[in-house]
Amino acid sequence: MSALTLALRAAMANRQPLIEQLHQQQTDCYRLFHGSQEGAGGLTVDRYGDQLLVQSFHQTLSRDELLQLAEQCCEQLDKQFLLVYNDRSQGNSRIDRSDPIYAAEPAALEDLVGREWGLNYRVRGRHAGQDPLLFLDLRNARGWIKEHSAGKSVLNLFAYTCGVGLAAAAGGAREVVNLDFAEGNLAVGKENGLLNPTLPPMQFVQSDYFPAIRQLAGLPIAQRRGQKLPSYIRMAQRQFDLVFLDPPAWAKSAFGTVDLLRDYQSLLKPAILATAEDGVLVCCNNLAKVSLADWREQVLRCATKLGRPVREWQQIEPAADFPSSDGQPPLKTLVLRF
Ligand SMILES: C[S@@+](CC[C@H](N)C(=O)[O-])C[C@H]1O[C@@H](n2cnc3c(N)ncnc32)[C@H](O)[C@@H]1O
């Protein structure tokens, strides 16, 4: 039996209690194998409803390895999955898609629906972006938002496909604003809204983070030396009861640079100012090399310096489908109460 087969078998056994719990919670999207922590670095296997999504980041899987892995998952979960294999190794060169195993059946590439916390989410095996449409390590944070949104105005920053916004709408938020600069990501967010027709409609703002959050916070929009700023949508200064800040590790735009390692403050400061005096800010940092202790200290210090000290903080950890042997998961999420 191969090392991968054994590693996958152990991963499945470890997840059995969690999987049962997730099914009871009407969730069928979860990680089945988190290779970096479970014996095969650079390999992940996720379930998204009827789809089994295998991704390799370091080494391409052979046909046999892939088939064996898929068979093992189907057997363990007693279900026939639609297999999609996305090889993201070797500078993202895609593999030989003339082989039907690598190409995926047409049914696997159709628009599908996955469930999480009783909500429907769009699932698409391949699309313009590389990442799946729902980040699974954020499931517990979405669950927390669903539990704590009743009656609140909610601002979802770097909204991507608006999973957090949807959780807030399902939790009874009185208003949900999703903000992202990528039209395609917000379009999936709108699809997610339509897939849950009983929920109140959400709002979608397509804008760069920096001008939008600085206007909401009542801060000036900095002009870069000698450079004219592109036009941006105008927004009035205002605060939200609940703000969710989950930026990418690094991204550059005409308005500024998102850099979680060197400059979390420039993201955090306006987000704090756009949070109501007695409101809640949930913020994330997904950089593995930043420790929770260091980042938390930075975050708390920034709030104090702004004259908005944090009254109480709490950490939300990813669920057991994202194990971390050292207890330091890359995705760190803090709930800050002011
Ligand atoms: C890692 S995703 C965030 C995940 C998301 N919070 C979720 O719940 O799944 C990063 C998102 O940030 C957006 N983004 C990156 N830079 C941005 C900027 N300067 N302004 C607005 N959105 C930005 C991208 O379009 C992408 O949707």
Side-chain angles (χ1 to χ4, degrees), residues 135 138 158-160 164 180-182 185 207-209 246 248 251 253 258:
F135 288 112
L138 211 59
F158 299 95
Y160 189 45
V164 167
D180 199 289
F181 68 7
N185 295 344
S207 168
D208 192 283
Y209 176 73
D246 175 26
S253 78
V258 174

Side-chain angles (χ1 to χ4, degrees), residues 9-259:
R9 182 182 284 184
M12 293 281 200
N14 289 341
R15 276 165 181 68
Q16 212 42 53
L18 173 72
I19 290 178
E20 274 168 32
Q21 205 184 336
L22 291 172
H23 290 175
Q24 277 164 20
Q25 291 162 352
Q26 302 179 65
T27 295
D28 63 13
C29 299
Y30 40 81
R31 178 147 292 184
L32 288 166
F33 187 63
H34 190 52
S36 63
Q37 297 288 310
E38 298 188 293
L43 180 67
T44 61
V45 182
D46 295 322
R47 174 181 181 184
Y48 283 97
D50 289 346
Q51 183 193 88
L52 190 71
L53 176 66
V54 179
Q55 298 182 92
S56 55
F57 296 82
H58 300 165
Q59 258 179 325
T60 305
L61 282 183
S62 73
R63 223 175 165 270
D64 285 352
E65 285 171 320
L66 182 60
L67 282 174
Q68 162 72 35
L69 184 157
E71 206 171 288
Q72 225 179 319
C73 293
C74 293
E75 213 168 275
Q76 278 290 321
L77 287 162
D78 194 20
K79 184 175 167 61
Q80 279 308 309
F81 286 108
L82 297 161
L83 173 66
V84 175
Y85 173 43
N86 288 342
D87 179 33
R88 298 169 65 173
S89 63
Q90 297 160 12
N92 303 319
S93 73
R94 302 281 168 125
I95 31 135
D96 173 15
R97 291 270 165 75
S98 59
D99 183 328
I101 298 305
Y102 287 141
E105 297 172 39
L109 298 178
E110 277 174 15
D111 286 357
L112 303 171
V113 175
R115 307 260 293 156
E116 185 193 87
W117 300 114
L119 298 170
N120 296 326
Y121 284 95
R122 172 59 74 221
V123 170
R124 211 168 261 143
R126 295 199 187 118
H127 57 96
Q130 295 218 53
D131 290 317
L133 297 178
L134 189 67
F135 288 112
L136 299 176
D137 51 353
L138 211 59
R139 182 194 321 114
N140 278 350
R142 284 186 290 268
W144 190 96
I145 292 289
K146 188 165 176 254
E147 287 278 296
H148 294 86
S149 294
K152 306 244 166 90
S153 57
V154 178
L155 176 63
N156 181 21
L157 299 163
F158 299 95
Y160 189 45
T161 55
C162 310
V164 167
L166 198 71
R174 78 181 137 83
E175 180 188 13
V176 178
V177 177
N178 295 291
L179 190 136
D180 199 289
F181 68 7
E183 191 180 4
N185 295 344
L186 289 177
V188 178
K190 290 174 191 170
E191 277 183 63
N192 282 335
L194 294 173
L195 287 171
N196 296 273
T198 57
L199 298 185
M202 304 186 279
Q203 294 168 51
F204 303 89
V205 178
Q206 190 192 339
S207 168
D208 192 283
Y209 176 73
F210 292 103
I213 197 70
R214 293 186 72 84
Q215 288 179 86
L216 291 170
L219 295 171
I221 295 167
Q223 188 144 353
R224 293 197 164 172
R225 237 182 308 142
Q227 278 176 26
K228 206 170 163 280
L229 285 177
S231 62
Y232 52 86
I233 63 160
R234 305 290 149 159
M235 298 177 82
Q237 181 178 356
R238 70 164 286 194
Q239 292 185 319
F240 289 79
D241 301 322
L242 178 52
V243 175
F244 196 92
L245 173 66
D246 175 26
W250 195 90
K252 199 175 162 72
S253 78
F255 293 94
T257 304
V258 174
D259 185 342

